[in-house]
């Protein structure tokens, strides 16, 4: 067995495409010979830093994306149900506070990233499946509780997420993504033969597998995996 390839997944819970990429990479972390590193970052900072514009602001693209999201949800088996007002959720409320909370959870977690994975998933579920808020401390508490965090851990993360330390950490991770060439999320960086290879979006898994010498077995490689 060759050494595991390090794979970094940069994501933001405001992005439904990031949810698709996130679930696929989590499913493949024990299928491919990889070490998956979750890198929560701020999509708003990426768009500004890269000079990019959200595709949803183009009317025809927005119409297409709405229909396509339903197909993608079925294909990837991820329970995406767009919120009643996607524009408000994505562009007015945003995800800065939510991603600071995820970063705080990552900061206090020891021995792995299961809590980060579960909290991220619950925040995605709130915004992209249940049409619920992800901007208020109570929302973070509810998501973290569903993710299995103890009350003491939740309280610790809530306090930490407003600290300068966490603000700086999220900003640094976002800057790292920009330095890799990010212009949107999800972004996956596969470290192959000492060289970082960047893949953008949730439709590059077959090419990613080929570059790493792995096999793409579809969006659900383990058919016995529990449904989301």
């Amino acid at each position: 067995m060759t050494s595991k390839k390090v794979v970094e997944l940069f994501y933001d819970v405001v992005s439904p495409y990031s949810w698709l990429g996130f679930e696929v990479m989590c499913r493949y972390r024990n299928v491919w010979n990889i070490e998956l590193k979750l890198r929560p970052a701020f999509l708003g900072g990426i768009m500004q830093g890269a000079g990019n514009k959200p595709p949803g602001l183009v009317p025809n693209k927005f119409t297409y994306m709405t229909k396509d999201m339903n197909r993608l949800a079925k294909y990837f088996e991820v329970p995406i149900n767009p919120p009643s007002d996607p524009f408000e959720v994505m562009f007015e409320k945003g995800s800065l506070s939510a991603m600071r909370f995820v970063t705080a959870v990552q900061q206090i977690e020891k021995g792995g990233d299961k809590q980060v994975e579960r909290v991220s998933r619950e925040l995605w579920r709130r915004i992209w499946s249940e049409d619920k808020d992800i901007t208020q401390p109570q929302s973070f508490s509810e998501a973290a509780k569903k993710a299995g965090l103890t009350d003491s851990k939740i309280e610790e993360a809530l306090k930490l997420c407003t600290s300068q330390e966490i603000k700086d950490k999220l900003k640094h991770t976002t800057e790292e993504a920009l330095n890799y060439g990010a212009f949107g999320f999800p972004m996956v960086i596969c470290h192959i033969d000492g060289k970082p290879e960047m893949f953008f979006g949730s439709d590059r898994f077959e090419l990613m597998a080929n570059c790493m010498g792995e096999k793409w077995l579809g969006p659900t490689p383990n058919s016995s995996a529990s449904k989301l």
Side-chain angles (χ1 to χ4, degrees):
M1 178 68 71
T2 58
S3 59
K4 292 179 181 289
K5 292 181 175 65
V6 173
V7 175
E8 300 178 80
L9 170 62
F10 291 85
Y11 67 91
D12 186 321
V13 298
V14 81
S15 160
Y17 295 97
S18 285
W19 193 7
L20 301 175
F22 176 90
E23 295 299 351
V24 169
M25 293 309 302
C26 286
R27 292 168 187 170
Y28 271 88
R29 73 192 314 173
N30 293 319
V31 176
W32 291 342
N33 186 36
I34 63 174
E35 179 187 348
L36 180 63
K37 294 186 179 228
L38 301 180
R39 305 298 306 277
F42 180 47
L43 181 56
I46 294 295
M47 302 300 280
Q48 182 177 11
N52 197 2
K53 294 181 179 180
L57 295 181
V58 180
N60 281 358
K61 282 186 179 180
F62 181 79
T63 301
Y64 170 79
M65 289 166 63
T66 301
K67 294 179 180 178
D68 194 48
M69 192 58 63
N70 292 327
R71 296 182 295 205
L72 290 168
K74 292 178 182 178
Y75 177 69
F76 285 101
E77 296 187 18
V78 176
I80 293 177
N81 183 28
S84 56
D85 190 343
F87 187 89
E88 178 189 36
V89 167
M90 298 182 73
F91 306 121
E92 293 181 8
K93 291 185 175 181
S95 59
L96 181 58
S97 295
M99 296 316 295
R100 284 174 177 167
F101 182 73
V102 174
T103 301
V105 171
Q106 186 175 56
Q107 179 84 340
I108 64 179
E109 184 171 10
K110 307 298 181 186
D113 59 10
K114 279 299 177 186
Q115 291 180 349
V116 176
E117 177 184 337
R118 291 169 182 162
V119 169
S120 297
R121 182 175 292 117
E122 290 302 329
L123 288 169
W124 263 306
R125 196 189 303 275
R126 286 182 68 86
I127 183 175
W128 286 106
S129 192
E130 301 169 352
D131 197 6
K132 293 180 179 178
D133 175 74
I134 62 158
T135 65
Q136 300 301 316
Q138 181 61 33
S139 301
F140 306 152
S141 295
E142 291 174 5
K145 200 166 189 66
K146 280 192 174 183
L149 271 67
T150 63
D151 290 342
S152 61
K153 287 292 185 184
I154 294 172
E155 185 178 352
E156 183 181 357
L158 285 172
K159 288 181 179 178
L160 189 60
C161 73
T162 59
S163 69
Q164 192 61 46
E165 177 186 10
I166 290 303
K167 291 177 181 178
D168 290 343
K169 183 175 181 179
L170 179 62
K171 182 179 180 182
H172 178 70
T173 302
T174 303
E175 289 172 346
E176 280 190 84
L178 284 169
N179 289 337
Y180 275 129
F183 53 88
F185 285 161
M187 182 184 76
V188 178
I189 300 295
C190 301
H191 295 268
I192 304 171
D193 297 328
K195 179 183 177 184
E197 294 285 351
M198 178 181 125
F199 298 89
F200 167 73
S202 55
D203 59 354
R204 290 293 182 268
F205 300 113
E206 190 169 1
L207 179 60
M208 188 188 306
N210 179 263
C211 290
M212 293 194 295
E214 299 285 355
K215 291 184 179 180
W216 169 243
L217 304 172
T220 53
N222 184 358
S223 58
S224 64
S226 59
K227 301 295 183 181
L228 289 171

